[in-house]
């Protein structure tokens, strides 16, 4: 809800701050920037210091920073608050999937649990704009105050209901069933393409992700280079709406590429990196990462700006725009809940591909809807339902594949890497869609459909066949 609330408050927020159109992408991209920069660090900290602890601290921080964002008076302060909310959300996302991996080690229970997790994401995406649209009738700031209060209540409830870890000292990772040698117990459903070979009884267990020499220090060098690379990329895409051939755009894109290469070099040199690049040799992990990246680029990027496009291009009222968004995200919620029925019939990478294809098929009917003389409601609603079904399949498959594609002791790292790719994609996608739609909204729709089809092809390329 916190992530999607600005989609409906964007016009009012920009007016209150006097934000020029060329800078409005930052009002939406603050949270995904914070998420993408710190999700891997959060995953490492959750594995090293306890998933419950990281989850609860993140929930508390999100409640405080969301409420503080309501009092911002400038674009810069609001964006800073949103970046802080993204950092807090990183802890929540990494910790929550790690907790699911602990509670449901394998099998159909995990499939059902991750399906509910994905459906909850869809529900929050749907309700955020609806809440913002209703409260913004009085004042757009009320949405952030309400979300901050609700998040703080969640933190209190979680502290009372989540079971503390059973390991000595209370600060380590949440306990998991153990097998020989003290490592996680092998699951009968583990396969060669998703999990590492079993350790022998005499082999030492690998240290949790993110420990530097056993000290559990976060990989700040890696986080910094990744954040700078993403910041340079987003700035380039934001400036691109005023001309893609401008020297500043090229310099920023080059800087982003150099910083990304530096990030890879930093991670390869560390004994305990926040992301083990060796995991990319796993076909299932590659499919999970690519699927998350293109989900952000093609799906989240477009639908983050669609309400604003309809309000400005067609004069659609905020509540009506929220209703259309709920149609898309509500369909996603229902499909994500029912997607567990596909388990055993279709592998997660191919479920991702199907989700991308449906998303592209739903976006194509949107062509011409923003500039039409009147809103073509039947075509618009049909496209949103089809695209929502695709989004539901993506939301259900991604968390399952994220934790199944890595060893159990790296579950939080797997979820962190998956969500990092998703929010890097969404941040870049928002900036790209806003830039493309500045001249012609149909260009943004066509780009979204093309990216979705590319995501489908890349997800299944090299994936384990089933």
């Amino acid at each position: 809800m916190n992530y999607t609330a600005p989609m409906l408050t964007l016009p009012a927020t920009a007016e209150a701050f006097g934000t020029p159109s060329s800078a409005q992408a930052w009002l939406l991209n603050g949270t995904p920037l914070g998420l993408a920069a710190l999700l891997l660090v959060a995953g490492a900290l959750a594995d090293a210091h306890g998933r419950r602890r990281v989850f609860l601290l993140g929930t508390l921080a999100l409640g405080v920073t969301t409420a503080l964002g309501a009092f911002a008076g400038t674009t810069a302060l609001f964006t800073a608050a949103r970046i802080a909310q993204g950092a807090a959300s990183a802890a929540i996302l990494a910790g929550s999937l790690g907790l699911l991996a602990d509670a449901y080690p394998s099998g159909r229970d995990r499939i059902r649990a991750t399906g509910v997790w994905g459906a909850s994401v869809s529900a929050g995406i749907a309700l955020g704009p609806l809440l913002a649209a209703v409260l913004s009738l009085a004042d757009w700031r009320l949405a952030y105050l309400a979300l901050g209060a609700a998040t703080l209540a969640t933190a209190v409830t979680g502290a009372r209901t989540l079971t503390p870890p059973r390991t000595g000292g209370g600060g380590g990772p949440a306990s998991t069933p153990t097998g020989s040698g003290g490592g996680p117990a092998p699951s009968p459903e583990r396969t060669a393409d998703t999990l590492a070979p079993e350790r022998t009884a005499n082999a030492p267990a690998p240290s949790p992700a993110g420990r530097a020499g056993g000290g559990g220090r976060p990989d700040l060098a890696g986080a910094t280079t990744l954040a700078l690379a993403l910041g340079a990329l987003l700035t380039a895409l934001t400036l691109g709406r005023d001309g893609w051939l401008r020297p500043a755009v090229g310099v920023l894109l080059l800087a982003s590429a150099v910083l990304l290469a530096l990030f890879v070099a930093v991670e390869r040199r560390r004994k305990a990196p926040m992301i083990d690049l060796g995991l990319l040799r796993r076909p299932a992990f590659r499919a999970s990462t690519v699927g998350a990246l293109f989900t952000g680029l093609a799906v989240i990027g477009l639908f983050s700006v669609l309400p604003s496009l309809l309000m400005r291009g067609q004069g659609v009222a905020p509540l009506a725009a929220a209703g259309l968004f709920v149609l898309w995200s509500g369909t996603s919620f229902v499909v994500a809940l029912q997607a567990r029925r596909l388990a055993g019939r279709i592998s997660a990478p191919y479920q991702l591909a199907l989700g991308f294809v449906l998303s592209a098929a739903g976006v194509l009917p949107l062509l011409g809807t923003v500039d039409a003389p009147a809103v073509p409601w039947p075509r618009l609603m049909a496209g949103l339902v089809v695209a929502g079904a695709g989004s539901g399949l993506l939301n259900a498959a991604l968390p399952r594949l994220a934790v199944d594609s890595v060893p159990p002791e790296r579950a939080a790292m797997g979820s962190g890497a998956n969500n990092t790719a998703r929010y890097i994609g969404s941040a870049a996608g928002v900036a790209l869609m806003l830039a493309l739609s500045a001249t012609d909204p149909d260009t943004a729709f066509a780009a979204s459909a093309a990216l979705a089809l590319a995501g489908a092809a890349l997800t299944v390329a090299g994936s384990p066949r089933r």
Side-chain angles (χ1 to χ4, degrees):
M1 293 176 70
N2 175 276
Y3 185 89
T4 56
M7 297 177 189
L8 267 293
T9 64
L10 178 60
T13 305
E15 181 180 358
F17 297 150
T19 309
S21 58
S22 58
Q24 289 180 16
W26 290 108
L27 297 176
L28 294 176
N29 270 338
T31 294
L33 177 59
L35 276 160
L38 291 179
L39 262 171
L40 290 172
V41 171
L45 290 175
D47 281 338
H49 297 292
R51 295 158 187 176
R52 176 182 180 272
R53 177 181 297 171
V54 169
F55 173 80
L56 291 176
L57 287 175
T59 306
L60 177 64
L62 179 62
V64 172
T65 54
T66 300
L68 289 177
F71 298 103
T74 65
T75 301
L77 287 177
F78 184 80
T79 301
R82 294 292 292 172
I83 292 173
Q85 292 160 35
S89 299
I92 295 173
L93 288 173
S96 63
L97 272 178
L99 288 170
L100 281 184
D102 288 337
Y104 304 97
S106 64
R108 298 190 66 85
D109 286 342
R110 172 179 284 188
I111 293 172
R112 186 177 297 109
T114 53
V116 171
W117 188 95
S120 299
V121 171
S122 299
I125 288 172
L127 294 175
L130 190 61
L131 174 69
V134 172
L135 294 182
S136 64
L137 293 175
D139 191 334
W140 64 268
R141 297 177 187 272
L142 291 177
Y144 298 97
L145 289 173
L147 288 171
T151 307
L152 290 174
T154 301
V156 173
T157 302
R160 293 178 176 177
T161 58
L162 286 175
T163 304
R166 294 190 294 273
T167 56
S175 60
T176 57
T178 57
S180 61
S187 164
E189 296 189 11
R190 297 165 97 181
T191 59
D193 63 89
T194 57
L195 294 177
E198 298 293 338
R199 298 192 302 270
T200 62
N202 296 324
S207 62
R211 289 186 187 273
R217 292 173 294 177
D219 182 3
L220 295 181
T224 300
T225 53
L226 181 61
L228 291 174
L230 181 56
L233 175 61
L234 296 182
T235 305
L237 293 174
T238 300
L239 294 177
R241 65 182 293 155
D242 296 325
W244 295 102
L245 299 180
R246 297 168 62 193
V249 175
V251 170
L252 286 166
L253 289 175
L254 178 61
S256 179
V258 171
L259 287 165
L260 182 60
L262 181 60
F263 167 74
V264 172
V266 168
E267 295 305 289
R268 285 180 172 174
R269 290 177 63 87
R270 287 184 64 90
K271 293 182 180 179
M274 64 180 181
I275 173 64
D276 181 1
L277 297 178
L279 292 173
L280 291 172
R281 291 192 291 267
R282 296 169 174 266
F285 185 79
R286 286 200 304 273
S288 170
T289 305
V290 171
L293 178 66
F294 276 83
T295 296
L297 276 171
V299 181
I300 300 176
L302 176 65
F303 286 94
S304 293
V305 304
L306 181 60
S308 178
L309 292 178
L310 291 172
M311 286 189 290
R312 290 173 175 171
Q314 287 285 6
V316 174
L319 277 177
L324 289 172
F325 192 86
V326 168
L327 177 64
W328 171 74
S329 51
T331 303
S332 177
F333 172 76
V334 173
V335 171
L337 278 179
Q338 298 302 317
R340 67 180 185 273
R341 302 179 187 275
L342 295 176
R345 302 179 183 178
I346 180 174
S347 66
Y350 283 83
Q351 181 177 323
L352 288 175
L354 179 58
F356 280 125
V357 171
L358 285 175
S359 181
V363 167
L364 290 177
L366 303 184
L367 291 169
T369 55
V370 174
D371 294 329
V375 181
W377 293 104
R379 179 156 56 95
L380 180 59
M381 295 173 68
L384 291 175
V385 169
V386 175
S391 176
L393 292 178
L394 294 171
N395 284 338
L398 282 172
R400 172 162 61 103
L401 193 56
V403 296
D404 282 349
S405 62
V406 297
E409 68 274 11
R410 296 289 180 91
M413 176 186 281
S415 67
N418 182 272
N419 282 296
T420 294
R422 183 196 292 245
Y423 290 111
I424 287 176
S426 65
V430 166
L432 178 63
M433 297 304 164
L434 281 175
L436 294 176
S437 63
T439 54
D440 184 3
D442 283 352
T443 305
F445 294 143
S448 173
L451 287 169
L453 294 177
L458 292 173
T459 298
V460 299
S463 299
R465 295 189 177 274
R466 181 175 167 183

